[in-house]
Amino acid sequence: LKLLTPGPLSTADAVRAAMTVDRGSRDAEFLALTAEVRRGLLAVAGANAAYAAVPLQGSGTFAVEAAIGTLVPREGRLLVLVNGAYGRRMVQIARRIGVPVDALEVPETTPIRADALAGRPTHVAMVHCETTTGIENPLAAVAAACREAGAALIVDAMSSFGALPIEAARQGLLAVVASANKCLEGAPGVSFVVARRDALLAAEGRCHSVALDLHEQLAGFERDGQWRFTPPTHVVAALAEALRRLDAEGVDGRRDRYRQNLRVLVDGLRARGFRTLLAEDVQAPIIATFLAPTEGWYGFDAFHAGLRARGFVIYPGKTTAADTFRIGVIGDVTPRDLAALLGAVDAVVAELR
Amino acid sequence: LKLLTPGPLSTADAVRAAMTVDRGSRDAEFLALTAEVRRGLLAVAGANAAYAAVPLQGSGTFAVEAAIGTLVPREGRLLVLVNGAYGRRMVQIARRIGVPVDALEVPETTPIRADALAGRPTHVAMVHCETTTGIENPLAAVAAACREAGAALIVDAMSSFGALPIEAARQGLLAVVASANKCLEGAPGVSFVVARRDALLAAEGRCHSVALDLHEQLAGFERDGQWRFTPPTHVVAALAEALRRLDAEGVDGRRDRYRQNLRVLVDGLRARGFRTLLAEDVQAPIIATFLAPTEGWYGFDAFHAGLRARGFVIYPGKTTAADTFRIGVIGDVTPRDLAALLGAVDAVVAELR
């Protein structure tokens, strides 16, 4: 089964094999794996010694909430640049945990605006690649605007980390948040925040939660290399292996592979009469959104089931703008897999017609 | 390597094999696994249709915080019965999240008191087995006292769930909290709360956290069987397999195996001059605490390293009362493994002497 979704994804055999060993969570071998993962995440984020990587148990949303809750003072003001469900979720999180928040929302098919940092925010948050549509938001431009305005930038890089370039140090980012099971091609169950060390150290007692407190989580790692609370040992070992594979392929190499996947997918489906939601120039090589065909043969459930029976899992649409479906091009998949998908699409359409 | 710790533990081959398959988090096969896990957890908790099982991403502490944050109204009052680090952690969590809390603390070698529910609490929280020492706290007696006092009881059953009997419905418990990687013998990365459905349904908007909001988490499962946020698919599959194995062995059978493990361990180490911290009648068949030998040959690091080199991972002490070490008897281990440990102890002591 090839998972052509926003994640969890298809992973390499070696990544899953790393999960077949039980490791003691306080054992030296596992602590070495943890240290290796933390170093690897720093490197992928383009961070330097002014930053620390803080892995956290749970899904990406846990890490997003941890970053906002730990890093934004309650006397600050957060501006969230929104063009999809994950931006809206950051607003919802800030409201729930008592962080003063504004949202600057644009249509889901339009990149977020980098020019207008309304309301003099102390902190800005953005989603690098909104998997709601698959749009790439202008990280470099927003980072530049934030530096100029003196606002600290938190980047939800959930769907871009490992495939799109991020230069935390050079771009002066406060924090980058992501999880193991997207472009890093690890297993789900661990997320992380790469953030400025000074900001993490200054956040003692601020977080609304004990479990999500990144100041305390970092203190644990720096005290003795250990996780504060039981880590998902198997998933962390898978992430270590996944980071080794990314190091071998390179972020650029991975992005190129995903771009080729996207090319095969989009050209192939367009040739079959399907239409993409987004304009070409804002489409990230992560996941593509296609408009649902209006012909009578199409229904998402039947289309999905037909493809699944042929070994491919696609994803429902999430945009509020139109009836759509989504197909991911990330994970341990190649242009050959996408070409095979096109053959399956032909068979399913013929069957349903 | 046999992990003789409070967890993560040694798991069965079949449990780890379940992690070698990538599954789509919204795929029908994975949703069926999730439903199977939720039913299995209800059964192990001794719950009925008035209860719901709510799995949560993250370690056990995440679920403890989620339970307190979701289930205790901020105009209520929580009394935590404390005799170790995990009871103290619940007090710390309640303070951080703004739940009014009192603690009734007794020495770590003494079971918590069931007789005195001081301060007319609306809610009481207790740890069933405190792995700080390995002591078993009197769940049935505390539950009876809470019923009499009209207080709702939250049980941290992290280290007992699956091995010591829990009768949520009959004992009138509000909630039972545990995680996959203790006596259920699954992999770490998912925890859960089995709680009264009416209390979960009444908790809309109460939780201090979006990620840890059990009302919303349950709503997701009940709407369409799906997790709100990306689940640790591999770890959930391992838990499903682990629950099948528990069903085959039975909670009583598992407790008996652990009791035999404990018998071999304690008798064997006593015969070698070691002394247990706890009196026999309060010792749970989960993890045993031994006083550190006072002879010159002993140092925890050297003792631990010697045993590890022979295939056994033991654990440092955690009690504040004395210098100790701990050895767990839970997980996929048998009396034969504990007997082999005794041979390793002989070899290490001879080497260090």
Side-chain angles (χ1 to χ4, degrees), chain A residues 154-239:
Chain A
I154 297 173
V155 181
D156 172 348
M158 210 62 64
S159 298
S160 61
F161 196 89
L164 300 184
I166 296 172
E167 293 290 342
R170 208 177 48 74
Q171 296 174 322
L173 309 181
L174 171 60
V176 179
V177 188
S179 79
N181 61 291
K182 303 277 193 174
C183 301
L184 294 181
E185 301 188 1
V190 67
S191 54
F192 54 87
V193 179
V194 175
R196 283 195 60 90
R197 186 179 290 277
D198 53 3
L200 288 167
L201 293 178
E204 184 171 1
R206 180 189 292 148
C207 189
H208 60 291
S209 160
V210 169
L212 304 178
D213 186 334
L214 297 177
H215 170 90
E216 293 295 331
Q217 189 88 344
L218 176 63
F221 289 124
E222 305 228 316
R223 189 167 42 239
D224 50 16
Q226 299 197 355
W227 295 65
R228 271 190 309 162
F229 308 129
T230 303
T233 46
H234 306 79
V235 171
V236 171
L239 177 56

Side-chain angles (χ1 to χ4, degrees), chain A residues 9-21 23 180-188 233-246 254 331-332, chain B residues 16 19-22 234:
Chain A
L9 306 165
S10 292
T11 63
D13 291 345
V15 169
R16 278 173 280 115
M19 291 194 282
T20 60
V21 179
R23 293 173 178 84
N181 61 291
K182 303 277 193 174
C183 301
L184 294 181
E185 301 188 1
T233 46
H234 306 79
V235 171
V236 171
L239 177 56
E241 178 61 28
L243 283 166
R244 283 174 217 136
R245 293 175 62 86
L246 176 59
R254 184 154 296 184
D332 185 41
Chain B
R16 277 174 280 113
M19 290 194 283
T20 60
V21 179
D22 291 320
H234 306 80

Side-chain angles (χ1 to χ4, degrees), chain B residues 65-83:
Chain B
E65 180 173 330
I68 295 174
T70 303
L71 294 171
V72 186
R74 301 306 184 265
E75 63 274 20
R77 184 139 209 110
L78 176 66
L79 174 68
V80 184
L81 305 175
V82 177
N83 62 343

Side-chain angles (χ1 to χ4, degrees), chain A residues 76-100:
Chain A
R77 183 139 210 112
L78 177 67
L79 174 69
V80 184
L81 305 175
V82 178
N83 62 343
Y86 294 94
R88 283 192 289 274
R89 186 180 290 170
M90 288 201 284
V91 177
Q92 178 202 3
I93 287 170
R95 289 208 175 113
R96 176 70 73 98
I97 71 179
V99 165

Side-chain angles (χ1 to χ4, degrees), chain B residues 144-224:
Chain B
C146 286
R147 288 197 303 276
E148 192 157 324
L153 180 58
I154 297 172
V155 180
D156 172 347
M158 210 61 66
S159 298
S160 61
F161 195 89
L164 300 184
I166 296 172
E167 293 290 341
R170 208 177 49 73
Q171 295 174 322
L173 310 181
L174 170 60
V176 179
V177 187
S179 79
N181 62 292
K182 303 277 193 171
C183 300
L184 294 181
E185 300 188 4
V190 67
S191 54
F192 54 87
V193 179
V194 175
R196 283 195 60 90
R197 185 179 292 277
D198 53 3
L200 289 167
L201 293 178
E204 184 171 0
R206 179 189 293 148
C207 189
H208 60 291
S209 158
V210 169
L212 304 178
D213 186 335
L214 297 177
H215 171 90
E216 293 296 332
Q217 189 88 345
L218 176 64
F221 289 125
E222 305 228 316
R223 189 167 43 238
D224 50 15

Side-chain angles (χ1 to χ4, degrees), chain B residues 77-161:
Chain B
R77 184 139 209 110
L78 176 66
L79 174 68
V80 184
L81 305 175
V82 177
N83 62 343
Y86 295 94
R88 283 192 288 274
R89 186 179 291 170
M90 290 202 283
V91 176
Q92 179 202 2
I93 287 170
R95 289 208 175 112
R96 177 68 73 99
I97 71 180
V99 164
V101 63
D102 299 300
L104 185 61
E105 190 156 357
V106 299
E108 292 180 345
T109 51
T110 309
I112 54 172
R113 289 177 57 187
D115 56 326
L117 298 187
R120 298 186 167 276
T122 59
H123 293 70
V124 173
M126 65 170 281
V127 178
H128 193 188
C129 171
E130 252 294 355
T131 44
T132 304
T133 56
I135 201 168
E136 180 174 347
N137 281 317
L139 171 57
V142 175
C146 286
R147 288 197 303 276
E148 192 157 324
L153 180 58
I154 297 172
V155 180
D156 172 347
M158 210 61 66
S159 298
S160 61
F161 195 89

Side-chain angles (χ1 to χ4, degrees), chain B:
Chain B
L1 219 56
K2 283 288 173 187
L3 305 177
L4 305 177
T5 72
L9 305 165
S10 293
T11 62
D13 291 344
V15 168
R16 277 174 280 113
M19 290 194 283
T20 60
V21 179
D22 291 320
R23 294 173 178 85
S25 58
R26 303 192 178 280
D27 199 54
E29 185 200 332
F30 179 72
L31 300 189
L33 278 179
T34 296
E36 179 187 344
V37 163
R38 293 185 62 223
R39 281 193 306 272
L41 295 175
L42 272 188
V44 177
N48 58 23
Y51 290 79
V54 189
L56 183 71
Q57 298 91 334
S59 81
T61 297
F62 287 59
V64 169
E65 180 173 330
I68 295 174
T70 303
L71 294 171
V72 186
R74 301 306 184 265
E75 63 274 20
R77 184 139 209 110
L78 176 66
L79 174 68
V80 184
L81 305 175
V82 177
N83 62 343
Y86 295 94
R88 283 192 288 274
R89 186 179 291 170
M90 290 202 283
V91 176
Q92 179 202 2
I93 287 170
R95 289 208 175 112
R96 177 68 73 99
I97 71 180
V99 164
V101 63
D102 299 300
L104 185 61
E105 190 156 357
V106 299
E108 292 180 345
T109 51
T110 309
I112 54 172
R113 289 177 57 187
D115 56 326
L117 298 187
R120 298 186 167 276
T122 59
H123 293 70
V124 173
M126 65 170 281
V127 178
H128 193 188
C129 171
E130 252 294 355
T131 44
T132 304
T133 56
I135 201 168
E136 180 174 347
N137 281 317
L139 171 57
V142 175
C146 286
R147 288 197 303 276
E148 192 157 324
L153 180 58
I154 297 172
V155 180
D156 172 347
M158 210 61 66
S159 298
S160 61
F161 195 89
L164 300 184
I166 296 172
E167 293 290 341
R170 208 177 49 73
Q171 295 174 322
L173 310 181
L174 170 60
V176 179
V177 187
S179 79
N181 62 292
K182 303 277 193 171
C183 300
L184 294 181
E185 300 188 4
V190 67
S191 54
F192 54 87
V193 179
V194 175
R196 283 195 60 90
R197 185 179 292 277
D198 53 3
L200 289 167
L201 293 178
E204 184 171 0
R206 179 189 293 148
C207 189
H208 60 291
S209 158
V210 169
L212 304 178
D213 186 335
L214 297 177
H215 171 90
E216 293 296 332
Q217 189 88 345
L218 176 64
F221 289 125
E222 305 228 316
R223 189 167 43 238
D224 50 15
Q226 298 196 356
W227 295 66
R228 271 189 310 161
F229 308 130
T230 302
T233 46
H234 306 80
V235 172
V236 171
L239 177 56
E241 178 61 27
L243 283 166
R244 285 174 216 134
R245 292 176 62 86
L246 176 59
D247 194 49
E249 184 174 22
V251 170
D252 288 349
R254 184 153 296 184
R255 184 197 50 206
D256 289 347
R257 174 162 57 87
Y258 291 171
R259 276 185 181 157
Q260 291 168 35
N261 289 348
L262 181 72
R263 196 72 270 150
V264 171
L265 173 69
V266 168
D267 288 353
L269 284 188
R270 280 188 182 147
R272 286 157 176 82
F274 292 87
R275 288 168 51 214
T276 55
L277 176 74
L278 294 179
E280 192 94 342
D281 60 334
V282 298
Q283 170 72 58
I286 306 294
I287 189 166
T289 302
F290 295 90
L291 299 174
T294 51
E295 294 105 80
W297 65 265
Y298 177 84
F300 177 76
D301 289 345
F303 189 54
H304 172 276
L307 290 174
R308 191 192 187 288
R310 288 164 177 83
F312 299 96
V313 176
I314 68 164
Y315 224 59
K318 191 170 184 137
T319 178
T320 51
D323 185 15
T324 58
F325 63 88
R326 289 178 291 171
I327 300 183
V329 297
I330 58 179
D332 186 41
V333 297
T334 64
R336 183 186 294 251
D337 296 311
L338 277 304
L341 168 74
L342 295 173
V345 167
D346 288 337
V348 173
V349 172
E351 187 175 87
L352 294 178
R353 264 203 169 111

